[in-house]
Structures are given as structure tokens and as C-alpha cells.
Amino acid sequence: MADVARSAGVSTMTVSNVINGRPRVGAATRERVLAAINELGYQVNLAARHLRAGRTGVVGLAVPELERPYFGQLASRLADRFEAQGLRIVMERTGASREGEMDAVAFSRLRMYDGLILSVVDIDPAELAQIRTDAPVVMIGERALPSGFDHVMMDNVDGARQATAHLLATGARRIAMLGGDPTGSANMPALRAEGYALAHTQAGVPMEPDLAVRCRFRLQDGYDEVRRLIERGIGFDAVFALTDLVAIGALRALADAGLRVPDDVQVVGFDDIDEAPYLVPSLSTVNPGHEEMADAITALLLAQLNGGGPTRDPQELIVPAHLIRRGTTKPVD
Amino acid sequence: MADVARSAGVSTMTVSNVINGRPRVGAATRERVLAAINELGYQVNLAARHLRAGRTGVVGLAVPELERPYFGQLASRLADRFEAQGLRIVMERTGASREGEMDAVAFSRLRMYDGLILSVVDIDPAELAQIRTDAPVVMIGERALPSGFDHVMMDNVDGARQATAHLLATGARRIAMLGGDPTGSANMPALRAEGYALAHTQAGVPMEPDLAVRCRFRLQDGYDEVRRLIERGIGFDAVFALTDLVAIGALRALADAGLRVPDDVQVVGFDDIDEAPYLVPSLSTVNPGHEEMADAITALLLAQLNGGGPTRDPQELIVPAHLIRRGTTKPVD
DNA sequence: TTGAAAGCGCTAACAA
DNA sequence: TTGTTAGCGCTTTCAA
């Protein structure tokens, strides 16, 4: 900028004024400055501007994995909303690890982002609470954490309960659950497992431990675990997959085994990803309230941004989930 | 930092040394500084550090849409590679618009990113060439552009040719093409359309203009266009979808119409997204060389980063594509 | 309408 | 081992 100023025979301040389109600059001066900028190929240094301004205009979205459809679709919804406010959304991954998640918080604390939306998976609630940050942060995804952060959750328990209840109502009695994590307590698999158990209790149907299979959230995992159930001769008449991706893998394994969906085995997923209605048969799944979540996240973060940090008491919001009945489940009798 | 220094009774330089783990600091001093940091809740300001260092350790990946599986999966591959080099990948969207793409370049030029990977869709080649930037940039996605940037492409023409040739070899004679853009010349749809045409010419099979349908790359578009073809009574015995997402939409429309795949209508997609092998029937598609592209992109960008900019002549790389035969196509006789 | 001075928070280079 | 100085590139404030 100093070069430009020198070349145009003005002060850096005038250059700054021209660049930022501030009014009180003479036309001739402006011309000269613009010419110099052009000639020298000058470009603003944002790092410096941010240092000065104390803000970046960027909102970070940190998710476990960049390739999970759910997160891509969430990012897209958030980007729509934040762009309308003149803010950029950038997405990065934490690798679903404690470190990655702490890193993301650190990164935003460190003023690269004006605000951060963090999908927490592996971080310890106690550890979270310890983080001292005055940077705007909204947490998403898991259950109520005693963390002191704004927090938007989907209703994992009730969504899973609805899915399982529907399967039971359509006559299923042996429902395999793919992805349940019997160990954790506040994490997503545990919550969805809770809903699965709740529906069984409410319907007075006993659960079979062999049918609760722990697995990760990839296509391959759903496929492998269903195959394994079949090979082990463990009979089941329905599958509740903890994510749609797992459900897609399961559907493939069922087809390979010659089992018809939904006649022999019904399937319900969770997430209602964009692809769900287009599968053959179309996937019944739990819609976690996509638009409402995006709205809530946006509103909470904007409130913090405008308020200069987490001034209010931390908000906790649970967005209602609802079951979408499609082709992989039978109609209720 | 000054506060910390004052509180610990040392200079800011010593604080800096402690924070960055530099060796020559007395143990007692270090303790005192750490205590002060802790007590004051001090956090480094990265904007300042970047201003100083002239680099950010971040590589930007700008793609048309965050929710397209292809890009999520590409991002994941790139993140693996760059993280191994101690660099963060952050992903943002351009909206497939000229402005968005120019913005992305501007943003990186402006030193928010050490380097940028840009998936170009809508930007004008001439305009691109004009951009004066000494920031490391690698372009991906489209055909050779006279742009002066490093550029990694998939082999759109040959991939489409292989897909179409396979359909012709299995007996298909009326192949609908979904997504072809008859107008553009250097863009992806046009290139894939070129491969489609080439295969017809080589096989001596005439093309039917009604079968080349222009559409966008969403699930819904594939669905709508196939429905429309059927409603208009335009017969076809195969579909070449310009992306896998479009293919998935098409498969759904075929199923709705009671057409069996691959017996009545064969289908081939393009991209080989992770979901393709898990569909029922599994999707035959063109693998554009995922790993090779990620390797090439990483190598080119790292070379620029280490060389301090685009010092070499710009490189252009075309990664070979290959057809993956799965369940939506018939075996060759 | 324009400019000079000061400082955002950090660290390289050098001095003590 | 620790401290001083200077400056990265920008913009706010105040003066001309």
C-alpha cells in the first residue's frame, strides 16, 4: 500500500480511502490511486486488515468428516443463511477426535473466525466447560452438555423412538440396531439406542442383545454388520440404522442375501439425507429437523456476533425430529 | 500478550518464546509465564501472527457446492494429504458462479490462505488469465484453459466415451444423455457430450437429438428428465447420466415407471461416488481417477508453496478415467 | 479533501 | 537467558 501511495503521490490513508470506497476523496486523486493500484497489481492484505478490525467476516463450521452427506447438506443450508448476512462459511474437519475438536475451538479463539459452529463428537464435556473463550461458538449435534455454550441438538432419543415404534407397529418383532454404542452415555449412538429401547418398553416387546450391533457410520459398516448378522444366523425382521449411510449399506447386504425390502426385512435410517427419497426402494428415515436446526444455529450465532460474545445465558435448543415413511417400511396395519 | 508479560514480570519476547516452545528460557521463568497465561486466559492472536509470518498454514478448497458428494469426498482425500504436511484444508463454496469463483481467488490472494484449490465452473478463461496473482493456486475440474495456472483435470471426454461405448457394446442403441449442454464448449457437460458423440461415431451408431437432455446436476433433475422422456414417449434403452447424482435420480424415475434396470434400460453415471457400489442395483459409473487427482493436486500445490509461488511453467495434467462396470449395465455379449 | 501519527499483536534480529 | 527495537500492512483519530 505504501508503494501505491508513493507511486500515486498521496498518503497511504488516501489509498485506504479509495480502496474502501469512502466518500471524501477527490475524483482526480481517486483516478491516480486506482491507476497506481492497477499498475502495481496491488492487493489488500487481509491479515493486516483483520488485525486492525478485530474481525474476519468468516464463520467456521467444524464437522467430524467432510464427506458425510449430512454435514455437506447442513453446510449448504448454513451457507445460504450466513451469506445473506454478508458472512462467509468455511468448513473444516475435526476427524471426530478430541484433538481435532479442541483445535477447531483454538483456531476460532485465535481470531481466524468471527464465530464457530462445532459439531462435537469426542470431546469431553468437562473439558469443554473448561475452555475459556469469549469467541462466539455454537455447538451442535449431541445431547445437553454442561458446557456453557449455546447448543442446538436434534432430538436423537425421540427420533429413534419414533423409528422403532413405527417398525413395531408394522409388526416387526426382531429389530436389529446398527450403530448402537452400549458404552457411552452422552453420545449420539447411545441416545439413539435409548430411543430404540424406549420404544420397545412402551410396546412391551423384549429386546434381544444380539440384535444391537455396534458399528461406525460408513456405508461399509452397515453392509458388513448386516452380512455378519445373516451369516451368524441371527434372525431379524427389521433394521434400524443409526444413520442413512449405514442404512444404504444395510440395504445392499439385504439385497445380496436375497431378502426383500420391506416384505422380508424393513429398514429405517436416520438423517433424511437428500438421497433418501431417490433410493429404490426409497428410504424411510428420521428427519432431524434440518431447516429448523439451521435456523436456530444461525440465529444463536448471529446473536452472539452482534452481542460481541456469549453475553446471554447459554441457550439449549432441542429441535423436534419426525419420521418420514417411505418405501423401506410397511404401512401400519 | 503485553498483559501476560507485565503480570509475569518479563518481556513480551519471553512470553512469545514460552508460547512457541523455544528452548532458551529458564525453567522458573517459563513457569511464571505459564501461570500468568493461565490466570489471564490469554490466547494468541493468529491474525497478528500471520501478519508477521506472512503465512497462515491454511489451504482453501473452493467448490461449486458443499453438498455434492463428489466434492465432499475429494475434500476428504485432500485433507488427508495436506494434514500430513501440517496444513489445514478449509472448504468453501463458490455457488458455481463467476463472482463466487473470483471471490475465492481474491480471498486467497488476500492472504487468508497460503494456497487455493479452485474448482472452476463458470469463470471465463480470458478473465482467469487476467487475474494477476502470485499466490499459489491449482485449478481443477474442467478442460485445458489458457489460464496460466496449474491445472488438474479428469479426462471427461474419454470417460464419457468409455461409458457410452460400453453401453453400445452391450447392445444399447438409443442412449439418453442427461446433463449434456449443447451450448458451452469448454465446460464439463460439453466435454462429456463430446465423449458421448465420439463413441457413437466410432461405433457407427447414429445419435438422436431428442435423447440429449440438458439438465443440472441434482437428484431431482435426473428424476424429472427421465420422467419427461418417458411421458413424451421417447424410447430409450440406456441412460448416460453426466453425474452419479443424476443417475440416482434417473434410477428412481425408471423404477417408478416399472422399467427394470439393466434389462429394460441400462444406466451409467459419472464420478464413482462412494455410494455407487451400494445402490441396488449397484451403479456402473466412470471413476475419474480420484486418488491420482488428489495426489496430483497436492503435489502441484506443495511445489508452489515451497517454491514461493508459481515459479515453474504452469503444469496441466489430465488424469485417466476408467469405467467401473456394476449392476446397472449388462455384461458385454 | 488530504495527511501524519499511532498502534492493532506478534516475532526476527540483535543487544545486554 | 532475557530484553529492546523495529516493523509486518492496515485503519482510526485528529490535524492541516
Side-chain angles (χ1 to χ4, degrees):
Chain A
M1 184 182 258
D3 293 342
V4 174
R6 204 171 313 117
S7 160
V10 298
S11 76
T12 60
M13 208 43 240
T14 302
V15 176
S16 174
N17 286 332
V18 170
I19 289 170
N20 294 287
R22 277 185 273 264
R24 293 141 198 290
V25 179
T29 316
R30 165 171 286 112
E31 287 312 313
R32 235 168 343 118
V33 171
L34 289 175
I37 284 175
N38 226 311
E39 188 185 342
L40 297 174
Y42 165 79
Q43 356 174 129
V44 182
N45 180 324
L46 277 193
R49 179 178 287 175
H50 294 159
L51 174 58
R52 218 20 255 224
R55 38 168 282 133
T56 61
V58 177
V59 171
L61 170 64
V63 302
E65 289 168 3
L66 296 171
E67 76 272 33
R68 287 239 285 268
Y70 173 75
F71 290 114
Q73 291 158 25
L74 172 66
S76 182
R77 291 190 184 91
L78 290 173
D80 289 341
R81 287 161 173 78
F82 281 97
E83 273 173 23
Q85 305 290 325
L87 292 163
R88 289 172 95 81
I89 279 272
V90 309
M91 196 178 175
E92 58 175 80
R93 74 169 185 189
T94 61
S97 72
R98 205 192 60 76
E99 281 155 33
E101 289 167 6
M102 293 299 282
D103 268 9
V105 179
F107 200 57
S108 77
R109 268 202 311 186
L110 303 178
R111 321 281 168 95
M112 279 282 59
Y113 299 143
D114 289 349
L116 176 70
I117 300 163
L118 175 62
S119 171
V120 200
V121 176
D122 194 44
I123 220 166
D124 190 283
E127 204 164 11
L128 257 190
Q130 277 194 342
I131 298 177
R132 211 170 347 171
T133 178
D134 45 359
V137 175
V138 174
M139 304 282 179
I140 56 176
E142 300 311 315
R143 110 144 102 193
L145 297 168
S147 59
F149 290 100
D150 275 356
H151 191 171
V152 178
M153 318 162 242
M154 52 180 77
D155 196 339
N156 283 305
V157 175
D158 190 62
R161 187 200 55 75
Q162 287 183 50
T164 311
H166 180 63
L167 290 171
L168 291 167
T170 55
R173 281 301 168 270
R174 294 181 56 81
I175 306 174
M177 175 172 60
L178 300 182
D181 179 344
T183 60
S185 70
N187 56 12
M188 179 267 269
L191 293 168
R192 295 189 184 171
E194 195 180 320
Y196 168 86
L198 185 59
H200 279 81
T201 308
Q202 289 176 344
V205 175
M207 284 188 294
E208 166 67 61
D210 277 356
L211 289 172
V213 177
R214 185 175 178 175
C215 72
R216 298 194 305 157
F217 307 124
R218 315 209 157 194
L219 290 155
Q220 182 72 44
D221 301 304
Y223 179 79
D224 289 345
E225 294 307 330
V226 167
R227 257 188 94 99
R228 195 162 303 153
L229 281 175
I230 293 170
E231 279 167 8
R232 287 168 58 200
I234 298 176
F236 55 95
D237 52 15
V239 171
F240 170 46
L242 259 62
T243 74
D244 285 351
L245 234 34
V246 172
I248 293 173
L251 285 169
R252 171 84 240 164
L254 293 170
D256 284 357
L259 292 165
R260 289 165 310 157
V261 176
D263 307 274
D264 299 327
V265 177
Q266 301 187 70
V267 176
V268 180
F270 203 118
D271 278 349
D272 195 23
I273 61 176
D274 292 347
E275 290 80 358
Y278 292 94
L279 299 176
V280 182
S282 58
L283 180 64
S284 297
T285 183
V286 176
N287 181 314
H290 293 305
E291 302 300 329
E292 295 86 340
M293 282 199 61
D295 286 341
I297 294 165
T298 308
L300 286 175
L301 194 58
L302 285 177
Q304 288 192 42
L305 290 173
N306 297 330
T311 46
R312 301 162 286 96
D313 285 346
Q315 307 271 108
E316 293 224 320
L317 245 94
I318 300 188
V319 174
H322 59 282
L323 178 69
I324 312 275
R325 300 175 194 184
R326 296 203 184 95
T328 55
T329 47
K330 299 179 194 169
V332 180
D333 303 324
Chain B
M1 184 182 258
D3 292 343
V4 173
R6 204 171 313 117
S7 159
V10 298
S11 75
T12 60
M13 205 47 235
T14 301
V15 176
S16 172
N17 286 333
V18 169
I19 289 170
N20 294 285
R22 278 187 273 265
R24 292 141 199 291
V25 180
T29 315
R30 165 171 286 114
E31 288 312 313
R32 236 170 338 120
V33 170
L34 288 175
I37 284 175
N38 227 311
E39 188 184 343
L40 298 175
Y42 164 79
Q43 352 173 132
V44 182
N45 180 324
L46 277 193
R49 181 179 285 174
H50 293 159
L51 174 59
R52 210 32 246 216
R55 36 168 283 131
T56 61
V58 176
V59 170
L61 170 64
V63 303
E65 290 168 2
L66 296 170
E67 76 272 33
R68 287 240 284 269
Y70 173 74
F71 290 114
Q73 292 160 23
L74 172 67
S76 182
R77 292 190 183 91
L78 290 172
D80 290 341
R81 287 163 173 78
F82 280 97
E83 272 173 25
Q85 305 290 325
L87 293 163
R88 290 172 94 81
I89 279 272
V90 309
M91 196 177 174
E92 58 176 77
R93 74 168 185 189
T94 61
S97 71
R98 206 192 59 77
E99 274 163 34
E101 289 167 5
M102 294 298 281
D103 267 9
V105 178
F107 200 58
S108 79
R109 268 204 309 189
L110 301 179
R111 320 282 169 97
M112 277 285 52
Y113 299 143
D114 289 347
L116 177 70
I117 300 162
L118 175 63
S119 173
V120 200
V121 174
D122 193 44
I123 218 166
D124 191 283
E127 204 165 12
L128 257 190
Q130 277 193 342
I131 297 176
R132 212 172 347 175
T133 178
D134 46 357
V137 175
V138 174
M139 303 281 180
I140 56 177
E142 301 310 315
R143 110 143 101 193
L145 297 168
S147 59
F149 290 100
D150 277 355
H151 191 171
V152 178
M153 316 160 245
M154 52 180 76
D155 196 338
N156 283 304
V157 175
D158 191 62
R161 187 199 56 73
Q162 288 182 49
T164 312
H166 180 63
L167 290 172
L168 291 168
T170 56
R173 281 299 170 270
R174 294 180 56 81
I175 305 174
M177 174 171 61
L178 299 182
D181 179 345
T183 61
S185 70
N187 57 10
M188 179 267 269
L191 293 168
R192 295 187 186 172
E194 193 179 322
Y196 169 86
L198 184 59
H200 279 82
T201 309
Q202 288 175 345
V205 176
M207 284 189 294
E208 166 66 61
D210 277 354
L211 290 171
V213 177
R214 184 171 178 178
C215 72
R216 299 194 305 156
F217 307 125
R218 313 210 159 195
L219 290 155
Q220 183 70 44
D221 302 304
Y223 179 79
D224 289 344
E225 295 306 330
V226 166
R227 255 188 96 98
R228 193 161 304 151
L229 281 175
I230 293 170
E231 279 167 8
R232 286 168 58 201
I234 298 177
F236 55 95
D237 51 15
V239 171
F240 171 45
L242 260 61
T243 75
D244 284 352
L245 234 36
V246 172
I248 293 173
L251 286 169
R252 171 84 239 164
L254 293 170
D256 283 357
L259 292 165
R260 289 165 311 158
V261 175
D263 307 273
D264 299 328
V265 177
Q266 300 188 71
V267 175
V268 181
F270 202 118
D271 279 349
D272 195 23
I273 62 176
D274 292 348
E275 290 80 358
Y278 292 93
L279 298 177
V280 181
S282 58
L283 180 63
S284 297
T285 183
V286 177
N287 182 312
H290 294 306
E291 302 299 329
E292 296 86 340
M293 281 199 62
D295 287 340
I297 293 165
T298 308
L300 287 174
L301 194 59
L302 286 176
Q304 288 191 43
L305 290 173
N306 297 330
T311 47
R312 302 161 285 96
D313 284 344
Q315 307 271 107
E316 295 222 319
L317 246 93
I318 300 187
V319 174
H322 59 283
L323 179 69
I324 312 276
R325 301 174 194 184
R326 296 202 184 95
T328 54
T329 48
K330 300 179 194 170
V332 180
D333 303 324

